[in-house]
Amino acid sequence: MRAIRWLFYAVLMLFAFLGAAYLGLNAWVESAGGKRALEKQLSAEAGVPVRLSGEFDVKFWPPVGASGTDLEILESEAGLVMAKSRAFEIRLALDALLKQQIRAERIRLEWLTLGAAGGARFAVPGIEVTGFEPGIPTGLLIDLGFLGNVNGTFTWRPESSSVDLDLGWAAPERDDIDLAGTVHYGAPSLHMTGLAARIAGQELTGEGCVLPDGPVLNLLLAADSLDLEALADAVPGAQGASSGGLPFEVNLRLEARTLQRGELLARETVIEVGAPPRCP
């Protein structure tokens, strides 16, 4: 009987300890200190300031996480808001929380608006990042609404100010599109190198850049052979020759050794859309 009594007391003390730990962690995470710790960790991972300016709630079961509104990504500490999420949900690592540390394992942003106020802006219904760590492939899911979704990985390399991409786009009643390449940041424009795309069984390679004024997407692409009708069926809006339906301007130069459209076949062909692409 004495052994059973001591076992009962031990279990009771264990539950009391867990309850106290839960209340302490809950109070810390919901406090300004916990919120600031989360902002600091997100800022370090993103490489730019991140601010949680709206509602903030904590959930400890299951899984452990935080949610809220108005997650903002700033150009600098006192700079413009370059992106803003209407709502966010973050899964937190429990082992880090027990040490009163914050580590995000999964981040879900809903209705993310990109672009500074007063300039060109567009919104993405949802973005989810899983297992983020610099130098390691990180899971990425982008919800594009009726345009389908983008799924794959990215690898952030802060030492070279670059991001490696390995992504696939899927939409109802369309062939999947695979895209790989490296994005270099840090200058006023974004540079893209080693681009490789597979669209409707056709392969394209090249490079390009995104200029902030506009913004303007410049692409220099090449292919051994292309079927224009298959390409137009695979890419949304490709049936038209302009980029009027997009929230940015597109300048494209595409070189193909053989080009097919229906029964027509051409060799050593160049297709241009918009102005000649120019990158700094």
Side-chain angles (χ1 to χ4, degrees):
M1 290 297 294
R2 182 175 296 178
I4 295 176
R5 184 182 305 169
W6 279 109
L7 179 61
F8 173 76
Y9 287 149
V11 172
L12 189 63
M13 291 178 63
L14 176 61
F15 275 101
F17 170 77
L18 291 176
Y22 167 82
L23 293 175
L25 286 174
N26 184 73
W28 177 72
V29 176
E30 288 191 333
S31 69
K35 189 174 181 180
R36 283 196 298 268
L38 183 55
E39 287 179 332
K40 184 177 180 180
Q41 195 250 345
L42 294 175
S43 299
E45 291 187 348
V48 291
V50 174
R51 183 170 64 199
L52 306 177
S53 60
E55 298 177 2
F56 186 75
D57 297 308
V58 178
K59 180 176 66 173
F60 274 87
W61 189 267
V64 179
S67 61
T69 61
D70 300 331
L71 184 149
E72 299 174 337
I73 301 174
L74 284 67
E75 182 182 30
S76 62
E77 287 294 343
L80 297 173
V81 175
M82 301 304 297
K84 182 175 182 178
S85 174
R86 184 181 299 173
F88 67 87
E89 186 176 302
I90 301 172
R91 188 173 67 200
L92 302 173
L94 181 58
D95 58 338
L97 274 180
L98 293 175
K99 303 174 185 177
Q100 287 204 345
Q101 299 173 355
I102 293 285
R103 188 175 77 248
E105 293 184 333
R106 183 180 67 86
I107 303 172
R108 168 79 184 178
L109 304 178
E110 296 183 4
W111 207 254
L112 180 66
T113 301
L114 304 171
R121 309 180 78 186
F122 62 98
V124 178
I127 292 181
E128 185 174 306
V129 176
T130 305
F132 180 81
E133 185 177 343
I136 302 297
T138 298
L140 176 65
L141 175 63
I142 304 176
D143 179 5
L144 299 175
F146 69 92
L147 290 177
N149 63 75
V150 174
N151 197 0
T153 64
F154 71 92
T155 304
W156 179 41
R157 305 187 185 279
E159 71 281 358
S160 60
S161 299
S162 65
V163 179
D164 297 334
L165 301 175
D166 187 2
L167 305 172
W169 173 75
E173 301 181 0
R174 292 190 181 273
D175 291 336
D176 293 350
I177 296 178
D178 296 322
L179 175 66
T182 300
V183 177
H184 304 268
Y185 63 92
S189 59
L190 295 177
H191 286 256
M192 299 170 288
T193 60
L195 293 178
R198 185 175 180 84
I199 307 172
Q202 304 177 82
E203 296 183 358
L204 299 92
T205 59
E207 59 184 14
C209 66
V210 178
L211 304 180
D213 294 335
V216 181
L217 172 62
N218 293 280
L219 290 173
L220 290 166
L221 302 177
D224 284 334
S225 63
L226 281 181
D227 184 331
L228 283 185
E229 292 184 352
L231 199 63
D233 290 339
V235 180
Q239 292 84 351
S242 70
S243 59
L246 299 174
F248 50 85
E249 182 183 342
V250 176
N251 296 326
L252 168 67
R253 179 183 173 88
L254 172 59
E255 299 179 0
R257 290 184 179 179
T258 61
L259 183 69
Q260 183 177 352
R261 184 170 186 176
E263 297 181 355
L264 297 177
L265 183 65
R267 300 185 184 278
E268 304 300 334
T269 305
V270 175
I271 299 175
E272 293 187 343
V273 175
R278 292 178 181 170
C279 293

